């Protein structure tokens, strides 16, 4: 395994035109560490993998040698392969709610889960948050990086599947809009508990999820790898957090080119530790 990772780092570094010294500088390690990786004498620390994958423009799985086994979990990989931005570049209304609840009056670490083409991640970075963002679709991340470059922002983008990726570092805000329906019921508790455990005290979760309603029919009901939640289910995972706002709404959607409706639950919750 060490040799495979080392060879991947070497070839990807060369492809990007980076010296060992420059790669070391970009991922905050010594050039001796990079040399050891490439020689198969050691492997990168888990906490370094997202930044390393971002710098080398690859996914964590491909860095570790698992690219051939990656499963296709989203059809947006193809939808994002256009010049236009599939979702546009205007930020979600949830972004403004996050700014009200946790304004960036101090450096705040924000994670955008399943960031798509990066419109929300870029909005947060432009407004002073320290943003990390990941998505399963490489084509979306390419456009996200371009959008970030045009706006003059620095964002740690990397490719990962939310079903497999687990947090190691701590964040002040975890944001996820329009993607939690990819998580099957059996993984929801594990994934949300991982996100909660790696959120700082007083930190915020801003999440939404599509929910099933018998009177609301949408094209996504028939698609693979989509698992709508029960109404109110998301809120039950935050019974020991301060829920500042939660609600349910039905809205019109044109994704895929066919008019339809969705029902969505939205949650804003703040982590509490110890008696007030």
């Amino acid at each position: 395994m060490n040799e495979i990772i080392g060879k991947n780092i070497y070839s990807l570094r060369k492809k990007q035109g980076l010296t060992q010294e420059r790669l070391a500088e970009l991922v905050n390690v010594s050039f001796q560490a990079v040399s050891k990786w490439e020689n198969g004498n050691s492997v990168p620390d888990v906490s370094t993998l997202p930044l390393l994958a971002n710098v080398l423009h690859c996914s964590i799985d491909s860095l570790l040698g698992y690219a051939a086994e990656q499963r296709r979990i989203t059809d947006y990989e193809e939808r994002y392969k256009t010049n236009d931005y599939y979702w546009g570049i205007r930020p979600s209304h949830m972004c403004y709610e996050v700014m009200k609840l946790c304004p960036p009056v101090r450096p705040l670490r924000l994670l955008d889960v399943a960031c798509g083409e990066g419109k929300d991640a870029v909005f947060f970075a432009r407004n002073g948050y320290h943003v990390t963002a990941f998505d399963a679709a490489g084509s979306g991340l390419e456009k996200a990086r371009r959008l970030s470059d045009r706006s003059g922002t620095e964002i740690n983008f990397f490719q990962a599947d939310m079903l497999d990726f687990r947090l190691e570092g701590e964040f002040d805000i975890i944001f996820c809009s329009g993607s939690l329906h990819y998580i099957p019921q059996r993984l929801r508790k594990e994934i949300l508990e991982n996100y909660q455990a790696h959120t700082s005290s007083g930190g915020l979760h801003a999440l939404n999820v599509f929910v099933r309603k018998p009177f609301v029919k949408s094209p996504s009901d028939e698609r693979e790898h989509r698992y709508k939640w029960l109404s109110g289910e998301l809120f039950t995972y935050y019974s020991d957090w301060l829920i500042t706002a939660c609600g349910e709404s039905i809205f019109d959607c044109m994704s895929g080119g066919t008019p339809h409706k969705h029902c969505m639950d939205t949650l804003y919750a703040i982590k509490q530790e110890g008696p007030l």
Side-chain angles (χ1 to χ4, degrees):
M1 174 63 80
N2 289 18
E3 291 183 1
I4 293 173
I5 297 173
K7 289 179 180 177
N8 288 340
I9 293 174
Y10 173 81
S11 61
L12 289 165
R13 175 175 65 79
K14 288 292 187 179
K15 184 179 179 180
Q16 298 300 321
L18 300 172
T19 63
Q20 287 186 341
E21 290 80 4
R22 180 54 179 160
L23 177 59
E25 180 183 346
L26 291 172
V27 298
N28 301 316
V29 299
S30 66
F31 80 89
Q32 292 93 338
V34 174
S35 178
K36 288 181 180 179
W37 297 342
E38 294 185 354
N39 290 326
N41 295 324
S42 66
V43 295
D45 185 82
V46 171
S47 61
T48 305
L49 289 176
L51 182 56
L52 187 60
N54 178 52
V55 170
L56 296 176
H57 291 180
C58 67
S59 69
I60 293 176
D61 277 354
S62 62
L63 189 63
L64 299 179
Y66 298 136
E69 300 178 11
Q70 283 186 325
R71 62 184 177 275
R72 183 174 179 271
I73 66 158
T74 173
D75 54 6
Y76 289 110
E77 184 70 58
E78 293 301 319
R79 297 189 189 193
Y80 293 154
K81 291 180 179 178
T82 62
N83 292 327
D84 296 331
Y85 280 75
Y86 186 81
W87 301 111
I89 59 174
R90 294 181 60 183
S92 160
H93 72 277
M94 289 178 64
C95 297
Y96 298 100
E97 293 302 317
V98 168
M99 290 195 69
K100 291 178 186 177
L101 292 167
C102 288
V105 294
R106 61 181 176 85
L108 292 175
R109 301 156 296 179
L110 184 147
L111 175 68
D112 188 350
V113 176
C115 64
E117 298 165 300
K119 63 183 181 65
D120 294 334
V122 168
F123 171 85
F124 285 124
R126 290 182 66 182
N127 282 280
Y129 296 89
H130 294 190
V131 181
T132 298
F134 72 89
D135 198 274
S139 56
L141 289 173
E142 289 179 10
K143 294 169 78 172
R145 291 187 179 100
R146 291 200 297 270
L147 187 62
S148 176
D149 289 343
R150 289 204 301 269
S151 67
T153 57
E154 292 186 9
I155 299 173
N156 176 24
F157 287 113
F158 65 95
Q159 187 174 7
D161 179 344
M162 75 167 77
L163 302 186
D164 299 326
F165 181 72
R166 299 294 180 269
L167 302 184
E168 295 287 342
E170 188 173 78
F171 292 90
D172 301 301
I173 301 168
I174 292 183
F175 176 92
C176 183
S177 178
S179 299
L180 292 180
H181 60 294
Y182 284 104
I183 304 176
Q185 201 280 331
R186 61 183 174 82
L187 291 177
R188 290 171 189 170
K189 184 174 187 292
E190 176 192 346
I191 289 175
L192 289 178
E193 285 186 349
N194 172 255
Y195 291 174
Q196 292 169 356
H198 290 85
T199 302
S200 62
S201 178
L204 172 71
H205 281 196
L207 314 171
N208 62 27
V209 66
F210 295 113
V211 297
R212 289 196 301 270
K213 292 290 186 181
F215 51 86
V216 178
K217 185 73 171 176
S218 69
S220 62
D221 293 337
E222 287 81 34
R223 293 175 184 163
E224 292 183 344
H225 307 304
R226 285 160 168 80
Y227 312 92
K228 286 191 173 181
W229 295 39
L230 295 176
S231 181
E233 180 184 354
L234 175 63
F235 311 144
T236 66
Y237 292 101
Y238 288 84
S239 60
D240 56 348
W241 285 44
L242 175 62
I243 297 178
T244 62
C246 63
E248 188 166 274
S249 61
I250 296 175
F251 62 94
D252 296 316
C253 183
M254 277 294 295
S255 66
T258 303
H260 57 278
K261 294 181 181 294
H262 286 295
C263 185
M264 178 169 277
D265 282 1
T266 302
L267 166 81
Y268 302 92
I270 295 177
K271 185 174 183 178
Q272 308 292 305
E273 289 189 3
L276 298 177

